[in-house]
Structures are given as structure tokens and as C-alpha cells.
Amino acid sequence: MFNFQNLFVFDLANNHQGDIQHASKIIRELGSVVSKNNVKAAMKLQFRDLDTFIHENEIDNEENSNIKRFLSTKLDWDEYQILKDEISENDMITMCTPFDEKSVKKIIEMKFEIIKVASCSAKDWPLLEEISKAGLPTIISTGGLSLNDIDNIVSFFDHKGVDFALMHCISIYPTPSDEMQLGFLKTLKDRYPKVEIGWSTHEHPNDYDVIKIAYSIGAKIFERHVGLSNEKISLNKYSSTPRQIEEWIQSFF
């Protein structure tokens, strides 16, 4: 059984901007934060097989900002392998979110240590079936799901014998203070007492109080989007710099 307790997850998402050097700098700087503060941390990548993930009729749709973002930050599998190796070299756990079945196979092939189910994929049953066969510890975000949806997910992964945890998540980017619904952490803990519960967070990067409240309610896993800005790259309003991550971690302790 994987020990999910006190695990910090750093989601790189598309903040690598399709630039290996930029991504490696983010990983190294966060690796230094992890080493300095002696915490257990995972760096998470996201996999999409864009050749099949984006429908051929939509590939030129410039009105869809997600398609533009995915294509402009595209990396090939060899480049992702470089990033995975960089994560390991900086003493962080390797973790990845697949958004399609082919990406699950690449996660297994590349020997990632943890697999993550995004909130938007938590009812994608063909994808969940593939993930359940991976034999990896699995963390599942629950943003936008009903209790019945979560019951189904817990029953499914329990039946499959998967070592898994749940993340309370509010899918608003960034999440306003009055929308956190932190009390739902207790609902999850009471309803699924054998499952580790965490907090996947999108509050403002300078908010260091929510993690304290989440921990006091019983959250044991904490996830934030991470990145770096420079003269060419602007960071979104819900992603943390390494400096902010260090303050976030220190506020936890």
C-alpha cells in the first residue's frame, strides 16, 4: 500500500509552455524547495495523445482556447521522458494524469510511480477501466461530481483492488475564498473511512491559510499548480512559483 499521507503534489500541467529548458528549471527549483524543507513530494505531468485526443474536425478551431493551448505547448514522448528523468533526479515522485487510454499505456511504459485521474475524467469509464489495470497507486479528483458519482468511483476502484485516494477539488480557476466548500472534506472522510482524502487546490497562490484548515479537517494530500514566469511567459492566477510553494509548505508545518 502506498503511503499517501503528507504528500505534496506539484502539477506542472501546461506551464512548461512546450519548452524543455523552462520545464527543467521549474523542476529543479521545486526540487530544491523539497530538499530544503524535507517533504515528500510528487511532480505531476499531464499526457494527451493529441493526434487522437483532438477531433480532426476541431483541430483548426481557433475559437477553442484549449485546443490552441494544447497544440502550442505540445511535447513529444521523448521530451516527456527527459522531464520524468529530471523529476527523479531531483528526488521527487513521478506522477502523471492521462486524458486518454493511449496515455495510460505510455505512463506504464515510462514507469511513472503514481497515476492521477482528473475531475473531468472521473466519469470516463473506458479511461478508468484502463487506469485500473495499470497497477499503480491512483489519486482521483472529484471536482463537479455528485456523491453518487463518487460512490460509483469508490466502488469501482475498490472492486478492482486499486490502491487509491480521493481529492476534494473545486473546479474554479482560481477558486474564490467563499467557494472552497472545505466542509466537504469531512463528508468524504466520514463516507469513505478507509480512503485517504486530500485537497486539490486552486486558491490564490499567496493564500497560505486554506491548507491549514484543510489539514485540520483531515486532508493528507495537497496539490497545487506550479510554474515560473519570465519575460516571455506569464503565469496564470492559480499557479504557484517555487517561492510561493515554499511558503505554502512552511505554513503547513
Side-chain angles (χ1 to χ4, degrees), residues 26-200:
I26 296 169
I27 293 168
R28 286 193 299 270
E29 290 197 17
L30 282 164
S32 295
V33 171
V34 168
S35 177
K36 178 182 175 182
N37 292 275
N38 192 30
V39 293
K40 178 170 62 177
M43 174 70 76
K44 184 168 75 70
L45 305 179
Q46 296 184 358
F47 279 5
R48 297 173 181 85
D49 181 49
L50 294 181
D51 293 337
T52 57
F53 187 76
I54 301 174
H55 195 279
E56 60 182 8
N57 293 341
E58 294 294 316
I59 195 102
D60 295 320
N61 183 358
E62 296 184 359
E63 294 182 2
N64 189 318
S65 60
N66 286 322
I67 291 176
K68 182 178 180 180
R69 173 166 61 93
F70 296 154
L71 291 175
S72 67
T73 60
K74 183 178 180 179
L75 297 174
D76 62 35
W77 297 120
D78 289 339
E79 290 173 317
Y80 276 123
Q81 182 67 55
I82 292 171
L83 295 186
K84 177 185 177 289
D85 292 343
E86 187 81 61
I87 294 167
S88 296
E89 289 168 9
N90 281 272
D91 297 321
M92 289 183 285
I93 298 165
T94 57
M95 184 173 174
C96 192
T97 299
F99 287 89
D100 51 77
E101 291 90 327
K102 182 175 179 179
S103 293
V104 178
K105 291 180 171 60
K106 294 303 295 188
I107 287 171
I108 297 168
E109 178 186 320
M110 294 167 68
K111 299 182 179 179
F112 278 83
E113 296 164 273
I114 303 176
I115 198 164
K116 171 76 186 293
V117 179
S119 295
C120 64
S121 301
K123 294 196 287 184
D124 183 343
W125 291 104
L127 176 60
L128 297 181
E129 185 71 42
E130 200 68 31
I131 287 171
S132 74
K133 299 174 186 175
L136 293 173
T138 302
I139 298 177
I140 306 152
S141 276
T142 61
L145 302 183
S146 68
L147 275 175
N148 184 64
D149 293 331
I150 302 172
D151 284 344
N152 290 337
I153 291 165
V154 169
S155 177
F156 174 81
F157 281 100
D158 208 22
H159 179 73
K160 294 289 186 178
V162 176
D163 185 11
F164 71 98
L166 295 174
M167 300 289 275
H168 173 38
C169 175
I170 301 297
S171 300
I172 303 173
Y173 306 81
T175 307
S177 297
D178 60 353
E179 297 282 358
M180 300 291 179
Q181 302 293 322
L182 288 170
F184 193 64
L185 286 165
K186 186 176 187 305
T187 300
L188 292 175
K189 283 186 63 63
D190 291 345
R191 197 174 184 90
Y192 315 111
K194 296 181 180 179
V195 180
E196 205 69 80
I197 304 299
W199 167 240
S200 181

